[in-house]
Amino acid sequence: MAQRNVVEAGQGALQRNLEDGPIDLRHLEQQSLGDPGLQEEVLRLYSDMSGVYLTRIEESATPEDMLKHLHTLKSAAAGIGAWQVRDLARHAEDALREGASVDPDLIADVARAVRECQDYIADFVSSLD
């Protein structure tokens, strides 16, 4: 539904870029029952929450703390269709559960994916105005 609003607003180029972005808009539309207001609210909440949990992941003092925060980030990402964040968080979570040490490169990849989603959400929300 929100996708159609962007096209109707004459922003076809932006729409194409948003469709290629890090969030599966079709999944988000299904999760929000096609309600554009709910989509916007969920995206804003995810953007804020993902930043909080990314900070907690980066500042985790123990593998247990990191696991808890990765799990929360993974679940939230799955809810909105942020598949890359979900998959990277899952990979880091699985490695820690198997006894591996924290891989700083993998955590950096998670951070990059989260920031990419946050930028995408900012563009998406601004396209609705």
Side-chain angles (χ1 to χ4, degrees):
M1 188 76 98
Q3 289 174 306
R4 284 184 225 112
N5 292 341
V6 173
V7 173
E8 290 170 6
Q11 300 174 352
L14 178 59
Q15 177 60 27
R16 282 189 297 281
N17 291 337
L18 291 174
E19 286 177 354
D20 297 334
I23 295 174
D24 181 343
L25 293 177
R26 287 185 184 98
H27 177 78
L28 177 62
E29 188 171 5
Q30 290 173 341
Q31 293 295 94
S32 62
L33 303 174
D35 181 337
L38 182 56
Q39 290 171 21
E40 182 178 350
E41 182 178 347
V42 166
L43 287 173
R44 287 178 191 269
L45 288 170
Y46 175 80
S47 185
D48 293 344
M49 185 278 319
S50 64
V52 168
Y53 278 92
L54 178 59
T55 299
R56 290 179 182 178
I57 289 165
E58 293 172 334
E59 295 177 355
S60 291
T62 67
E64 292 78 20
D65 284 344
M66 186 174 284
L67 276 169
K68 177 175 59 175
H69 303 313
L70 283 165
H71 183 78
T72 301
L73 182 63
K74 175 188 76 176
S75 298
I80 67 160
W83 307 132
Q84 186 176 30
V85 173
R86 179 203 62 188
D87 293 346
L88 288 166
R90 179 188 300 146
H91 183 64
E93 185 182 18
D94 290 347
L96 288 173
R97 287 190 194 286
E98 293 170 5
S101 60
V102 174
D103 180 349
D105 291 334
L106 183 53
I107 299 305
D109 288 343
V110 171
R112 178 196 44 75
V114 166
R115 290 186 184 104
E116 187 177 305
C117 281
Q118 290 171 322
D119 291 344
Y120 176 84
I121 289 167
D123 289 345
F124 182 84
V125 169
S126 71
S127 76
L128 299 176
D129 295 332

